[in-house]
Amino acid sequence: MSLISVRDLSVAFGGTRVLEDVSFDIAEGEVLGVVGESGSGKSMTALAIMGLLPMGGTAAGRIDFEGRDVLALPEREMQRLRGARMAMIFQEPMASLNPVLTVGEQIAEVLRRHRGLDRRAAHAEAIALLKLVEIAAAERRVDEYPHQLSGGMRQRAMIAIALACRPRLLIADEPTTALDATVQAGILDLLRGLRRELGMAVLLITHDLGVVSDICERVVVMYAGRVAETGPAAAIFDGPAHPYTRALLAAIPRLEGPIGALPAIDGVVPAPADFPSGCRFAPRCAHARPACDAAPPPLRALPSGTAAACIRAEEIA
Amino acid sequence: MLRYAAGRLLAALPVLLIVSLLSFGIVWIVPGDVAAEMAGPTATAEELARLRERLGLTRPWHEQLVGWYGALLQGDLGESILLRQGVAAAIVERLPVTLSLTFTALAIAFVAGTALGTLAAVRAGKAADRAAMGTALIGFSIPDFWLGLVFVYVFAVVLGWLPTGGYVPFATDPLGWARSMLLPAATLALAQMGLFARMTRAAMLEVLQQDYIRTARAKGMPGWIVVGKHALRNALIPVVTVAGIACGVLLGGAVVIESVFSLPGVGRLIVGAIQRRDYPVIQGGLLLTATIFVLVNLVVDLLYATLDPRIRHGRR
Ligand SMILES: Nc1ncnc2c1ncn2[C@@H]1O[C@H](COP(=O)(O)OP(=O)(O)OP(=O)(O)O)[C@@H](O)[C@H]1O
Ligand code: SF4
Ligand SMILES: [Mg+2]
């Protein structure tokens, strides 16, 4: 029984579909990595789960979370889930905290809303949470404003907010991309430790395949709004079946390359309006054949242990 | 915060100094012979000399300046020639009327304006947005004296709900005070309300795009908290900064409104003084208006710092 099950999720803005047929599951306590180049739809997937799509975006399909389809839930019910059962942290810790409220207030607010704590208890618990995310001098920091904190500390504060109600699912959308390399490692260590301690499931969106191999149990590779390949992390790294996954792995920066950024593959992800009608990777794929343009290939289970959306997966393996 | 407040206060002092110098210099700046103008064409040479003596115009200018500041520090603004009354006393008598009018108008404009602007931003592009912004535009474009006359006609003459004019001191009858203030203050407020509404809408639209609003929603906060707490606190920062300027405009507008609603305020005192060249009153009025303006801006600065912790901590 999975904690969350995403089935045929699609997201459209007006007539433009930015996400199509996205399906995956996350088990209780599991860490799922979602990778893909910029514009492949990783954030849209996360926001659709949270019910926080940008204005004008509509989601279709099913997202069963703890047995309920969140796409069908009224906003009121979603508000009870958000911040309590599912929580999210974002890429920009600088911009994600409210500049006019103290860190403590921003944590305490969630506790008052979802756990019904009174002002004083919420403040005390906020300090405890800051300690949990290993912020030094928590008693002092709790009454400070975001601009008084460093980028790393702000992201830790965001994590404290997200974990305040012990959610079953934590969505982390590139939580370290905006931070210095040294700070990144600390945040990832913290996330790893906390998820073991609290036993929550994590959907980790990242550009960094090193991070994926490090802490993710399963992986979803996305390309141009569709799932290209999915499977256990070990299988993806040992026997990638989709040409896109293979290209990503082949281009992992060696020691001399920039650390963390997704490796460059020739060409760019097309804009949603220009998605090819067949396999979306075809224009950039070295193995493309005319048959690839017929229809978007469905995900197929492969002997290597992954499922890939490529009609030629066996041939090129 | 205390240091910030002290800093703002210190920064206000030079402004007050310049204004007091200007008030002093006004008799020197205006063309012609001040005493002759005040005394009128029928005055004899003897009367003129006496008036000059009374105004202190016969003494050298530096002595006059010292005398002016010496009196000022004791709260003495001189004697009104026409009212046969101390200028300070004349102003103090009328000040409650003008302050009531200006600040009631400011409160109405601010509260109604920010509410309209917030509503418009939250419903951007929808009918409520157009209705709110249409209201703001109308408030903006109608001359206040005309609106005042319409208000008097409708609410006082036809419906008889409110008095046509006159002032009831708050201390004697709070309800009567409120009734006497409602029409003039609302009239005066309307244009500034439009200004506040437009500013709030623009600021709100920008704030609602910010990442921290998404964070607030990701925390499961209900819409009214997201808008009323997380967004509004940020959107009000630029709006509050114009409150000081709005207050200046309101003070100026109060002069007209006091006449329309026959309120015995400082505005009418100054207008009368200008018409009759009662220079001590003009000087006092100028000084007072500027002082109020400086004080209001001081309050605005403090409010600004209360709303934005980054200012308090000397960043930005
Ligand atoms: N508000 C919006 N309206 C319409 N289209 C949008 C909107 N926001 C994003 N998109 C489109 O949706 C697609 C997926 O974007 P998404 O943000 O999910 O990508 P991503 O994989 O998270 O990329 P990144 O790594 O840059 O964060 C993109 O092609 C983008 O142009
Ligand atoms: S389906 Fe064809 S174009 Fe698409 S990835 Fe496979 S080989 Fe390449
Ligand atoms: Mg993204």
PDB file of all heavy atoms in Angstrom, chain A residues 17 47 66 80 83 86 96 128 147 168 176 181 210 230 232 264 268 271 280 291:
ATOM      1  N   ARG A  17      -0.548  21.650 -22.621  1.00  0.00           N
ATOM      2  CA  ARG A  17      -0.295  20.653 -21.595  1.00  0.00           C
ATOM      3  C   ARG A  17       1.173  20.658 -21.249  1.00  0.00           C
ATOM      4  O   ARG A  17       2.010  20.374 -22.098  1.00  0.00           O
ATOM      5  CB  ARG A  17      -0.636  19.271 -22.150  1.00  0.00           C
ATOM      6  CG  ARG A  17      -2.095  18.958 -22.112  1.00  0.00           C
ATOM      7  CD  ARG A  17      -2.171  17.489 -21.918  1.00  0.00           C
ATOM      8  NE  ARG A  17      -3.493  16.981 -22.201  1.00  0.00           N
ATOM      9  CZ  ARG A  17      -3.809  15.715 -21.958  1.00  0.00           C
ATOM     10  NH1 ARG A  17      -2.882  14.885 -21.528  1.00  0.00           N
ATOM     11  NH2 ARG A  17      -5.010  15.290 -22.198  1.00  0.00           N
ATOM     12  N   LEU A  47       3.804  20.670  -7.349  1.00  0.00           N
ATOM     13  CA  LEU A  47       2.761  21.646  -7.025  1.00  0.00           C
ATOM     14  C   LEU A  47       1.371  21.059  -7.224  1.00  0.00           C
ATOM     15  O   LEU A  47       0.431  21.391  -6.502  1.00  0.00           O
ATOM     16  CB  LEU A  47       2.952  22.920  -7.862  1.00  0.00           C
ATOM     17  CG  LEU A  47       4.225  23.710  -7.523  1.00  0.00           C
ATOM     18  CD1 LEU A  47       4.443  24.851  -8.518  1.00  0.00           C
ATOM     19  CD2 LEU A  47       4.167  24.266  -6.104  1.00  0.00           C
ATOM     20  N   GLU A  66      -2.914   8.915   1.080  1.00  0.00           N
ATOM     21  CA  GLU A  66      -3.543   8.308   2.255  1.00  0.00           C
ATOM     22  C   GLU A  66      -4.981   7.899   1.928  1.00  0.00           C
ATOM     23  O   GLU A  66      -5.891   8.092   2.717  1.00  0.00           O
ATOM     24  CB  GLU A  66      -3.508   9.275   3.440  1.00  0.00           C
ATOM     25  CG  GLU A  66      -2.087   9.578   3.890  1.00  0.00           C
ATOM     26  CD  GLU A  66      -2.019  10.415   5.153  1.00  0.00           C
ATOM     27  OE1 GLU A  66      -2.838  11.340   5.285  1.00  0.00           O
ATOM     28  OE2 GLU A  66      -1.151  10.139   6.004  1.00  0.00           O
ATOM     29  N   ARG A  80      -6.323  21.410   5.175  1.00  0.00           N
ATOM     30  CA  ARG A  80      -6.046  20.585   6.353  1.00  0.00           C
ATOM     31  C   ARG A  80      -4.884  19.637   6.124  1.00  0.00           C
ATOM     32  O   ARG A  80      -4.188  19.262   7.062  1.00  0.00           O
ATOM     33  CB  ARG A  80      -7.280  19.756   6.710  1.00  0.00           C
ATOM     34  CG  ARG A  80      -8.336  20.565   7.354  1.00  0.00           C
ATOM     35  CD  ARG A  80      -9.549  19.687   7.652  1.00  0.00           C
ATOM     36  NE  ARG A  80     -10.709  20.517   7.824  1.00  0.00           N
ATOM     37  CZ  ARG A  80     -10.895  21.295   8.885  1.00  0.00           C
ATOM     38  NH1 ARG A  80     -10.010  21.306   9.852  1.00  0.00           N
ATOM     39  NH2 ARG A  80     -11.956  22.056   8.972  1.00  0.00           N
ATOM     40  N   GLY A  83       0.796  21.225   4.974  1.00  0.00           N
ATOM     41  CA  GLY A  83       1.470  21.674   6.188  1.00  0.00           C
ATOM     42  C   GLY A  83       1.284  20.710   7.340  1.00  0.00           C
ATOM     43  O   GLY A  83       1.974  20.801   8.346  1.00  0.00           O
ATOM     44  N   MET A  86       1.089  16.624   4.400  1.00  0.00           N
ATOM     45  CA  MET A  86       2.111  16.775   3.356  1.00  0.00           C
ATOM     46  C   MET A  86       2.677  18.189   3.443  1.00  0.00           C
ATOM     47  O   MET A  86       1.960  19.140   3.710  1.00  0.00           O
ATOM     48  CB  MET A  86       1.532  16.510   1.957  1.00  0.00           C
ATOM     49  CG  MET A  86       0.281  17.303   1.636  1.00  0.00           C
ATOM     50  SD  MET A  86      -0.117  17.309  -0.134  1.00  0.00           S
ATOM     51  CE  MET A  86      -0.903  15.734  -0.341  1.00  0.00           C
ATOM     52  N   SER A  96      11.476  32.456   0.255  1.00  0.00           N
ATOM     53  CA  SER A  96      10.370  31.603   0.694  1.00  0.00           C
ATOM     54  C   SER A  96       9.860  31.925   2.089  1.00  0.00           C
ATOM     55  O   SER A  96       8.824  31.419   2.498  1.00  0.00           O
ATOM     56  CB  SER A  96      10.779  30.136   0.636  1.00  0.00           C
ATOM     57  OG  SER A  96      10.991  29.765  -0.710  1.00  0.00           O
ATOM     58  N   ALA A 128      12.062  24.156  19.866  1.00  0.00           N
ATOM     59  CA  ALA A 128      12.439  22.740  19.779  1.00  0.00           C
ATOM     60  C   ALA A 128      12.680  22.340  18.323  1.00  0.00           C
ATOM     61  O   ALA A 128      13.622  21.601  18.018  1.00  0.00           O
ATOM     62  CB  ALA A 128      11.346  21.874  20.403  1.00  0.00           C
ATOM     63  N   HIS A 147      15.846  38.086   7.395  1.00  0.00           N
ATOM     64  CA  HIS A 147      17.036  38.748   6.867  1.00  0.00           C
ATOM     65  C   HIS A 147      18.215  38.674   7.826  1.00  0.00           C
ATOM     66  O   HIS A 147      19.332  38.995   7.450  1.00  0.00           O
ATOM     67  CB  HIS A 147      16.726  40.215   6.514  1.00  0.00           C
ATOM     68  CG  HIS A 147      16.550  41.102   7.710  1.00  0.00           C
ATOM     69  ND1 HIS A 147      15.318  41.383   8.244  1.00  0.00           N
ATOM     70  CD2 HIS A 147      17.443  41.748   8.474  1.00  0.00           C
ATOM     71  CE1 HIS A 147      15.474  42.182   9.295  1.00  0.00           C
ATOM     72  NE2 HIS A 147      16.754  42.415   9.455  1.00  0.00           N
ATOM     73  N   ARG A 168       3.562  13.071   6.666  1.00  0.00           N
ATOM     74  CA  ARG A 168       3.920  11.743   6.161  1.00  0.00           C
ATOM     75  C   ARG A 168       4.692  11.864   4.858  1.00  0.00           C
ATOM     76  O   ARG A 168       5.394  10.950   4.456  1.00  0.00           O
ATOM     77  CB  ARG A 168       2.662  10.882   5.932  1.00  0.00           C
ATOM     78  CG  ARG A 168       1.850  10.581   7.170  1.00  0.00           C
ATOM     79  CD  ARG A 168       2.696  10.294   8.397  1.00  0.00           C
ATOM     80  NE  ARG A 168       3.556   9.122   8.252  1.00  0.00           N
ATOM     81  CZ  ARG A 168       4.703   8.939   8.912  1.00  0.00           C
ATOM     82  NH1 ARG A 168       5.129   9.863   9.746  1.00  0.00           N
ATOM     83  NH2 ARG A 168       5.403   7.853   8.730  1.00  0.00           N
ATOM     84  N   THR A 176      18.596  22.512  -2.250  1.00  0.00           N
ATOM     85  CA  THR A 176      19.959  23.010  -2.024  1.00  0.00           C
ATOM     86  C   THR A 176      20.531  23.762  -3.222  1.00  0.00           C
ATOM     87  O   THR A 176      21.634  24.283  -3.142  1.00  0.00           O
ATOM     88  CB  THR A 176      20.911  21.841  -1.697  1.00  0.00           C
ATOM     89  OG1 THR A 176      20.927  20.932  -2.798  1.00  0.00           O
ATOM     90  CG2 THR A 176      20.471  21.110  -0.453  1.00  0.00           C
ATOM     91  N   ALA A 181      28.043  25.221  -1.975  1.00  0.00           N
ATOM     92  CA  ALA A 181      28.326  23.791  -1.969  1.00  0.00           C
ATOM     93  C   ALA A 181      28.494  23.244  -0.555  1.00  0.00           C
ATOM     94  O   ALA A 181      27.949  22.189  -0.219  1.00  0.00           O
ATOM     95  CB  ALA A 181      29.565  23.501  -2.798  1.00  0.00           C
ATOM     96  N   GLY A 210      24.262  12.915  -8.249  1.00  0.00           N
ATOM     97  CA  GLY A 210      25.043  12.425  -7.117  1.00  0.00           C
ATOM     98  C   GLY A 210      24.163  12.315  -5.879  1.00  0.00           C
ATOM     99  O   GLY A 210      24.204  11.319  -5.149  1.00  0.00           O
ATOM    100  N   THR A 230      11.604   5.072 -14.947  1.00  0.00           N
ATOM    101  CA  THR A 230      11.462   5.020 -13.497  1.00  0.00           C
ATOM    102  C   THR A 230      11.871   3.644 -12.998  1.00  0.00           C
ATOM    103  O   THR A 230      11.738   2.656 -13.726  1.00  0.00           O
ATOM    104  CB  THR A 230      10.023   5.354 -13.059  1.00  0.00           C
ATOM    105  OG1 THR A 230       9.916   5.181 -11.650  1.00  0.00           O
ATOM    106  CG2 THR A 230       8.995   4.485 -13.745  1.00  0.00           C
ATOM    107  N   PRO A 232      14.058   1.396  -9.380  1.00  0.00           N
ATOM    108  CA  PRO A 232      14.927   1.492  -8.207  1.00  0.00           C
ATOM    109  C   PRO A 232      16.212   2.235  -8.579  1.00  0.00           C
ATOM    110  O   PRO A 232      16.706   2.083  -9.701  1.00  0.00           O
ATOM    111  CB  PRO A 232      15.233   0.034  -7.860  1.00  0.00           C
ATOM    112  CG  PRO A 232      14.179  -0.772  -8.552  1.00  0.00           C
ATOM    113  CD  PRO A 232      13.780   0.002  -9.764  1.00  0.00           C
ATOM    114  N   ALA A 264      25.308  18.751 -19.474  1.00  0.00           N
ATOM    115  CA  ALA A 264      24.745  19.245 -20.718  1.00  0.00           C
ATOM    116  C   ALA A 264      24.553  18.107 -21.720  1.00  0.00           C
ATOM    117  O   ALA A 264      25.406  17.251 -21.882  1.00  0.00           O
ATOM    118  CB  ALA A 264      25.660  20.309 -21.297  1.00  0.00           C
ATOM    119  N   VAL A 268      18.024  21.434 -26.399  1.00  0.00           N
ATOM    120  CA  VAL A 268      17.312  21.871 -25.199  1.00  0.00           C
ATOM    121  C   VAL A 268      15.940  21.200 -25.140  1.00  0.00           C
ATOM    122  O   VAL A 268      15.442  20.683 -26.143  1.00  0.00           O
ATOM    123  CB  VAL A 268      17.101  23.407 -25.191  1.00  0.00           C
ATOM    124  CG1 VAL A 268      18.421  24.122 -24.985  1.00  0.00           C
ATOM    125  CG2 VAL A 268      16.440  23.855 -26.471  1.00  0.00           C
ATOM    126  N   ALA A 271       9.739  23.818 -25.580  1.00  0.00           N
ATOM    127  CA  ALA A 271       8.671  24.445 -24.799  1.00  0.00           C
ATOM    128  C   ALA A 271       7.401  23.611 -24.968  1.00  0.00           C
ATOM    129  O   ALA A 271       7.222  22.958 -26.000  1.00  0.00           O
ATOM    130  CB  ALA A 271       8.439  25.867 -25.291  1.00  0.00           C
ATOM    131  N   ARG A 280       9.002  12.481 -27.236  1.00  0.00           N
ATOM    132  CA  ARG A 280       9.421  13.878 -27.093  1.00  0.00           C
ATOM    133  C   ARG A 280      10.928  14.057 -27.117  1.00  0.00           C
ATOM    134  O   ARG A 280      11.416  15.157 -27.326  1.00  0.00           O
ATOM    135  CB  ARG A 280       8.836  14.438 -25.797  1.00  0.00           C
ATOM    136  CG  ARG A 280       7.346  14.587 -25.971  1.00  0.00           C
ATOM    137  CD  ARG A 280       6.674  15.157 -24.770  1.00  0.00           C
ATOM    138  NE  ARG A 280       5.261  15.330 -25.103  1.00  0.00           N
ATOM    139  CZ  ARG A 280       4.343  15.687 -24.244  1.00  0.00           C
ATOM    140  NH1 ARG A 280       4.674  15.912 -22.992  1.00  0.00           N
ATOM    141  NH2 ARG A 280       3.101  15.824 -24.625  1.00  0.00           N
ATOM    142  N   ALA A 291       9.689   5.415 -36.658  1.00  0.00           N
ATOM    143  CA  ALA A 291       8.630   4.841 -35.821  1.00  0.00           C
ATOM    144  C   ALA A 291       8.485   5.591 -34.500  1.00  0.00           C
ATOM    145  O   ALA A 291       7.413   5.590 -33.896  1.00  0.00           O
ATOM    146  CB  ALA A 291       8.933   3.370 -35.549  1.00  0.00           C
TER     147      ALA A 291
END
